[in-house]
Amino acid sequence: MKRRQFMAMTAAAVAAGVAGACAPLTSTRRTVAAAAMPATGVTAFAAARRYAELAFGRIAYVERGSGEAALFLHGAPLNGYQWRGAIDRLSPYRRCLAPDFMGLGYSQVSEHQSLAADAQAEMLASLLDSLAIGAVDLVASDSGGAVAQLFLVRYPERVRSLLLTNCDVEPDSPPAKVKPIVEMARAGTLDDMTAQWLTDKALARSTFGAAVFRDPAGFADETIEYYIAPLLSTPLRRAQYNAFHAAFEPNPLAGIEAELKRSTVPLRVVWGAADDIFAQSDAEYLDRVFPNSRGIRRVPGAKLFFPEEFPEVIAEEARRLWKV
């Protein structure tokens, strides 16, 4: 989900804590191979994109690796490309699957399809069924974290582990800085605001980029295009982009805490310490609510979408959680 008043909506991210370091992992031949792998760019990622024809629509996803599956859930207005760096490093250990949510990215659904978080969770179950995948390790960020929690309570037997970065939690969904975005979406104007990023990439970096990245200069033109262009490609896609955000009010996580407290799934929280969209207390809430929490790692200087800038942190924490 995205924030504040477009510039100010989108220029907001600075707090969540200090640091929590983790011991380095033992080196292996596969670790060296993953580290040496060149970063996947837009062209290669787009070429790898596949589609699953589901009752929900034509769902876009990228898949790499083999063995037990890991499911990566992106934030808004992003798509599965958010996880490219983590997948580069983790595909030697897991069958990595990065779908695009309905209403975002390159997934294509009808105008009557619900884009609410619970419908997204149901879509993910259908996607896994279509790929003959039973259980997964879930890795999620931002609004994807809300969907991950809903998926967990609906399909507890399908989740082996859960790694959450800065994301919605029941007491803070949507966060205060997201509510103006929800209001714009309901007014049908969020797409017009976002369209400015395509014509003015410098604006995209100085507003949205500055809000969610430690170094917005690294928010490349081709990345902006890959994230934003599909959202504005047709009148239907524009309407669905608005509808995706509008669906985050009322709180999609209302009443979920009691079920999370009964979960036995191991959780690791990895939190950007310079994000002021999702508060430091949200990380502490997750750590407290999940009985099998493995604690919090705070990433100094990191903002909301730090998995793009620090994919090695995600990979390190995922491997520790997965014990590989």
Side-chain angles (χ1 to χ4, degrees):
M1 305 221 41
K2 232 109 274 124
R3 329 301 161 189
R4 207 139 208 201
Q5 232 182 56
F6 187 62
M7 315 230 180
M9 96 187 180
T10 257
V14 182
V18 202
C22 293
L25 297 170
T26 303
S27 294
T28 66
R29 186 178 306 169
R30 291 194 299 179
T31 305
V32 172
M37 186 182 302
T40 298
V42 162
T43 301
F45 197 87
R49 188 167 65 241
R50 307 175 187 179
Y51 292 92
E53 303 291 344
L54 307 178
F56 295 87
R58 194 166 185 247
I59 304 304
Y61 68 97
V62 167
E63 178 181 350
R64 279 176 57 191
S66 60
E68 294 183 328
L71 183 62
F72 294 79
L73 305 182
H74 63 83
L78 313 185
N79 55 54
Y81 189 60
Q82 176 185 12
W83 298 107
R84 61 196 180 278
I87 291 173
D88 285 343
R89 292 161 174 79
L90 292 171
S91 56
Y93 308 96
R94 285 291 189 270
R95 179 184 178 185
C96 296
L97 186 71
D100 292 352
F101 283 129
M102 299 182 292
L104 298 180
Y106 294 84
S107 290
Q108 303 162 12
V109 300
S110 78
E111 61 181 317
H112 303 297
Q113 173 59 51
S114 171
L115 306 180
D118 58 349
Q120 305 283 356
E122 297 299 325
M123 177 276 287
L124 293 174
S126 179
L127 175 63
L128 295 180
D129 289 343
S130 75
L131 297 173
I133 295 173
V136 296
D137 295 294
L138 268 178
V139 181
S141 171
D142 188 46
S143 49
V147 177
Q149 292 169 67
L150 290 169
F151 185 88
L152 172 65
V153 300
R154 283 166 171 72
Y155 304 100
E157 73 286 352
R158 302 193 78 160
V159 181
R160 280 189 303 270
S161 69
L162 181 59
L163 190 157
L164 293 178
T165 72
N166 305 49
C167 67
D168 295 79
V169 296
E170 183 182 349
D172 190 24
S173 181
K177 289 188 175 179
V178 172
K179 290 185 178 182
I181 304 311
V182 174
E183 292 170 7
M184 281 193 288
R186 287 182 166 172
T189 61
L190 183 59
D191 59 312
D192 291 331
M193 290 290 195
T194 306
Q196 297 178 51
W197 299 344
L198 280 182
T199 56
D200 189 342
K201 305 298 195 304
L203 176 68
R205 279 183 278 274
S206 66
T207 56
F208 174 68
V212 297
F213 298 120
R214 185 179 71 170
D215 180 13
F219 193 31
D221 286 2
E222 66 173 8
T223 303
I224 297 168
E225 290 276 351
Y226 194 78
Y227 284 149
I228 304 304
L231 307 178
L232 308 171
S233 58
T234 67
L236 174 60
R237 290 306 314 272
R238 282 175 170 259
Q240 290 174 331
Y241 174 57
N242 285 319
F244 178 93
H245 289 83
F248 272 84
E249 212 165 43
N251 184 354
L253 298 179
I256 202 174
E257 181 177 309
E259 294 176 88
L260 296 180
K261 285 182 173 179
R262 291 193 289 269
S263 175
T264 60
V265 168
L267 165 77
R268 179 64 164 166
V269 179
V270 188
W271 215 256
D275 175 22
D276 70 353
I277 296 167
F278 294 104
Q280 176 180 355
S281 59
D282 293 343
E284 295 165 354
Y285 171 85
L286 290 167
D287 185 47
R288 182 174 67 253
V289 166
F290 278 82
N292 200 9
S293 175
R294 305 297 171 81
I296 304 168
R297 175 176 178 175
R298 305 195 191 278
V299 185
K303 297 187 177 183
L304 175 58
F305 290 139
F306 77 86
E308 290 205 39
E309 295 179 287
F310 304 104
E312 70 282 358
V313 172
I314 299 298
E316 178 182 311
E317 290 297 334
R319 289 188 56 205
R320 287 175 64 86
L321 185 61
W322 303 344
K323 299 181 179 178
V324 295

